[in-house]
Amino acid sequence: MAAAGERDDTYVAVGPREYLDRLLAEYRLREEEVEDRIRVRTPPQWTSGEVPQQEYLVHESVLRSHGPFPCAGDNEALAFCEQIVDTMVRGYGISRSEAVARVNRQWSQAAPPGRVPRIWIVGLDIAYHEAADYWAGAIYYGPDSHWWDPDADLQPQPPP
């Protein structure tokens, strides 16, 4: 395993060791098989003096898309994307295929330089800092829509 130095967009953070172990188990991989595609990043010491846990990163070539979501890199991400889709279907009365396309537009659609998925949701991803209902509203109405405000003049984003 290499230490993570400069930013390399081909590596995806999965989180502390237990998240790496879970990913390898889900993918039925032994660490020895992919150790050349795993990096370790040690965050700087906190001002309190505590040392944060090391963060593990995997090369994107290790990751596989789950279900209809190119961005879902593990079963937890697949379930999370499905929750967002279910929330949009129930809450906004759109079809399941439209809701899936909206989630994919948000996280999987190519952006320069054109990689698909644009991001990977895997391990301890920042996407989990918000609940599925938040993402459903933000994806359906747009990130600056204030969809949670009952007085907002809401217009959904055009379908993909």
Side-chain angles (χ1 to χ4, degrees):
M1 272 183 272
E6 292 181 29
R7 181 183 163 100
D8 182 346
D9 287 339
T10 60
Y11 280 82
V12 178
V14 295
R17 181 68 203 209
E18 62 264 24
Y19 289 88
L20 174 65
D21 292 342
R22 188 177 75 198
L23 179 75
L24 294 174
E26 180 180 322
Y27 278 39
R28 294 187 178 100
L29 293 171
R30 291 187 333 271
E31 189 170 335
E32 304 80 48
E33 296 173 308
V34 292
E35 68 184 343
D36 61 327
R37 292 176 280 167
I38 297 173
R39 291 189 176 176
V40 182
R41 180 168 45 206
T42 303
Q45 188 174 13
W46 294 338
T47 55
S48 67
E50 289 184 61
V51 178
Q53 290 183 316
Q54 291 182 317
E55 180 179 37
Y56 289 80
L57 300 92
V58 296
H59 193 272
E60 66 181 8
S61 66
V62 173
L63 300 173
R64 299 187 294 264
S65 296
H66 285 56
F69 306 101
C71 62
D74 59 20
N75 286 325
E76 184 178 4
L78 172 60
F80 188 62
C81 290
E82 291 288 356
Q83 287 177 319
I84 296 167
V85 165
D86 291 344
T87 301
M88 280 194 277
V89 168
R90 280 191 319 276
Y92 307 125
I94 62 175
S95 71
R96 181 166 203 74
S97 62
E98 180 182 334
V100 167
R102 286 176 180 272
V103 169
N104 283 334
R105 176 174 62 192
Q106 176 76 20
W107 288 317
S108 297
Q109 211 169 52
R115 290 183 6 209
V116 174
R118 186 172 66 252
I119 67 157
W120 282 98
I121 300 172
V122 64
L124 186 62
D125 195 86
I126 195 164
Y128 299 128
H129 289 207
E130 298 292 351
D133 62 336
Y134 168 85
W135 284 116
I139 291 169
Y140 186 72
Y141 289 112
D144 298 320
S145 65
H146 299 275
W147 60 268
W148 60 89
D149 182 351
D151 297 326
D153 181 28
L154 296 176
Q155 298 296 319
Q157 298 275 63

